Amino acid sequence: MSDLPVGTQAAADAVRAAERIVVLTGAGISTDSGIPDFRGPNGVWTRNPAAEKASNIRYYLSDPEVRKAAWLNRLDTPVWTAEPNLGHQLVYELERRGQLRAVVTQNIDGLHQAAGHDPENVIEVHGTVRSTRCWECGDVRPMREALDRVRGGEADPPCLVCGGIIKSDTISFGQSLVPEVIDRAFQVSSECDLMLAIGSTLSVYPAANCVPTAKRAGASVVILNGQHTEMDRHADHLLIGQISEVLPVLVGR
Ligand SMILES: [Zn+2]
């Protein structure tokens, strides 16, 4: 307990009193599930800029070799075997208690839903790897169907409806967010009485702007992250520490 950041107890009191919490999550909440942080100091993209280029929509659409490599990567991403960890379970606990307005997540791993949430309450601003979407006609299907086709020998499986290029239903670099999804994230942020940002450096926009949106609407802001964030100045309670140690105290379990 002595290692807890200063202010943890005051933040826990604020969480206990809140009635409409929006939890904003980033990669840090999923690293304990074995999913690498792509943008952090030890992130995949930080160490390998070529991997970041491969996830750019322009290269994906124009180069079949980039798509073939992407499908091979998808076959063994750690997401398929990952389980929700204590952090995801504690966020779900807020829903179970009736204190949660919504989860806004920058993660694409689907682990919040796997922890038990009503899917309606999870707003995935950067999409999900658990579905595919056709770039031409918008047809959406479970990712496992496409992966079965790749295993069956289709190196770059086309859309079954129109023959177009399909990809994971995520927001790649160079691709716009889905307006209805990000709008909903800002809407719930403007309606919450407490914004709890967990495991994000809050440096990816526009998702990070959910924090000042909540603040302007009068919400308390609690930031819990392993390092400082770009939104520290908005925090009523800034907790730099381990999610697995601090979040159990915040949620009171
Ligand atoms: Zn299509």
Side-chain angles (χ1 to χ4, degrees):
M1 293 293 280
S2 58
D3 288 342
L4 289 175
V6 173
T8 299
Q9 199 54 56
D13 293 343
V15 169
R16 189 178 318 113
E19 297 175 344
R20 298 182 312 280
I21 299 173
V22 167
V23 179
L24 172 63
T25 63
I29 199 167
S30 289
T31 48
D32 284 346
S33 292
I35 296 173
D37 176 358
F38 284 90
R39 301 174 201 252
N42 298 309
V44 174
W45 288 338
T46 312
R47 287 181 287 115
N48 179 8
E52 178 167 355
K53 179 180 162 182
S55 75
N56 187 302
I57 189 65
R58 190 156 57 90
Y59 297 107
Y60 188 89
L61 293 177
S62 64
D63 187 347
E65 295 308 315
V66 168
R67 295 198 293 277
K68 289 175 190 171
W71 284 112
L72 289 177
N73 264 328
R74 287 175 192 134
L75 279 181
D76 48 46
T77 159
V79 170
W80 310 130
T81 51
E83 303 273 356
N85 64 57
L86 177 65
H88 299 101
Q89 291 160 9
L90 290 166
V91 174
Y92 174 62
E93 174 71 10
L94 295 173
E95 176 176 301
R96 212 186 53 75
R97 290 183 196 165
Q99 287 183 281
L100 186 80
R101 177 69 183 82
V103 178
V104 176
T105 187
Q106 301 169 285
N107 299 338
I108 56 178
D109 53 39
L111 291 180
H112 284 297
Q113 292 92 328
H117 287 278
D118 179 343
E120 283 291 304
N121 289 341
V122 182
I123 302 169
E124 297 173 302
V125 291
H126 295 159
T128 176
V129 291
R130 294 183 187 261
S131 303
T132 56
R133 181 181 291 269
C134 173
W135 187 257
E136 331 285 332
C137 77
D139 183 58
V140 173
R141 286 167 195 260
M143 173 60 82
R144 60 182 158 71
E145 292 183 12
L147 294 183
D148 284 345
R149 293 170 66 194
V150 175
R151 284 190 201 95
E154 292 181 71
D156 178 22
C159 174
L160 292 172
V161 176
C162 77
I165 293 171
I166 61 174
K167 63 183 282 291
S168 64
D169 192 10
T170 53
I171 307 296
S172 299
F173 281 92
Q175 190 178 347
S176 302
L177 300 191
V178 179
E180 306 86 75
V181 176
I182 190 68
D183 286 352
R184 197 169 156 239
F186 285 125
Q187 181 65 35
V188 297
S189 298
S190 71
E191 293 167 355
C192 69
D193 61 354
L194 187 137
M195 163 69 64
L196 173 56
I198 306 171
S200 172
T201 54
L202 302 173
S203 57
V204 178
Y205 297 87
N209 281 330
C210 286
V211 174
T213 297
K215 184 77 178 179
R216 274 197 302 276
S220 299
V221 172
V222 179
I223 294 177
L224 167 57
N225 195 41
Q227 54 187 306
H228 284 278
T229 81
E230 287 195 12
M231 293 291 161
D232 286 3
R233 66 190 181 281
H234 296 296
D236 298 285
H237 306 276
L238 176 64
L239 309 173
I240 306 298
Q242 293 291 324
I243 295 169
S244 59
E245 292 169 6
V246 180
L247 195 57
V249 180
L250 288 188
V251 178
R253 196 170 86 174

